[in-house]
Amino acid sequence: MQGASPTATRVVHLTRPGRPAVVTRTLTELTGPTRGLVELPVRLMWNAERTFDLGDPDQLLWLYENVLRETTRADDLRRLVNGRTLRRVWRLLNLPRPVRQAWESRHQTLRTA
């Protein structure tokens, strides 16, 4: 998990038992797409419908929720999530408390987003 850390304070926030939330060091390294269609790999989304239209606000939120909750790799975050978009939609995301805490511990700007 190179380039990622559970949190800035080294407190481990679990997405589920035995799986720490993965958080990137900076939001600027999140350079994922901002438009078009994105297909998630099966390891992040087991549903047959794994393609999301980023132009649809509900699909964008659903994609981000799945990636932030399910990933075990910082590279997934860098490739699939856009930092500016994440800040914009942060409060709208339905995330498990530990995932939200992990991201807000590392990125204080999300607390006020």
Side-chain angles (χ1 to χ4, degrees), residues 29-102:
E29 68 189 275
L30 300 174
T31 58
T34 57
R35 64 180 150 228
L37 299 177
V38 175
E39 184 175 349
L40 291 181
V42 173
R43 66 185 153 68
L44 295 180
M45 180 73 154
W46 305 281
N47 192 333
E49 297 295 324
R50 296 187 326 269
T51 301
F52 298 83
D53 179 354
L54 298 181
D56 180 322
D58 291 332
Q59 288 188 33
L60 171 73
L61 294 175
W62 184 230
L63 174 115
Y64 276 35
E65 290 164 358
N66 277 283
V67 172
L68 294 173
R69 185 180 61 244
E70 298 298 334
T71 193
T72 59
R73 304 173 184 181
D75 287 341
D76 287 336
L77 296 168
R78 291 184 196 102
R79 187 173 52 83
L80 297 167
V81 176
N82 180 277
R84 295 180 92 193
T85 302
L86 180 63
R87 277 191 294 268
R88 180 173 54 82
V89 302
W90 182 251
R91 288 287 160 216
L92 302 173
L93 294 172
N94 182 15
L95 296 169
R97 183 174 292 139
V99 173
R100 187 170 294 281
Q101 288 172 334

Side-chain angles (χ1 to χ4, degrees), residues 15-26:
T15 61
R16 60 184 55 144
R19 184 190 294 179
V22 178
V23 178
T24 56
R25 294 185 197 283
T26 68

